[in-house]
Amino acid sequence: MRLLLDTPMVLWTLTGSARLSAAARRLLGEPGNECFVSAASTWEIAIKAGLGKSPLRMAPAALEAAIVDAGLRPLPITLAHSLAIDAVEL
């Protein structure tokens, strides 16, 4: 299964927060699941860090390594991705 984590889920995963439910922990830990982190989430986390509002105790430059170390996969966003939204049926 492919999972795209939103920003709070990324933060809870990286900080080991109790706010991450048992069901979410199971999904994240299943070997067959691919867990992705959008570039939009890392951007949001970097903004929070710049404002002094990030719960992470690391520099934004260390965020990518922390994501990979947690078994998550970075998911880049390109202009083509953002412009393809008109092809999505809402």
Side-chain angles (χ1 to χ4, degrees):
M1 179 183 313
R2 291 181 176 172
L3 306 170
L4 176 60
L5 281 63
D6 64 4
T7 304
M9 290 281 292
V10 173
L11 289 170
W12 298 340
T13 299
L14 295 180
T15 61
S17 173
R19 295 184 76 178
L20 191 62
S21 71
R25 288 180 201 279
R26 271 193 309 279
L27 286 170
L28 291 170
E30 286 185 23
N33 289 347
E34 294 178 284
C35 302
F36 294 94
V37 176
S38 169
S41 288
T42 57
W43 186 11
E44 186 177 348
I45 293 168
I47 290 169
K48 288 177 182 273
L51 296 172
K53 296 181 178 184
S54 175
L56 295 177
R57 302 290 182 239
M58 68 181 72
L63 185 56
E64 184 174 5
I67 287 168
V68 172
D69 288 347
L72 308 174
R73 295 178 58 186
L75 183 66
I77 298 175
T78 67
L79 290 175
H81 292 125
S82 64
L83 297 173
I85 192 65
D86 66 339
V88 176
E89 194 171 315
L90 302 175

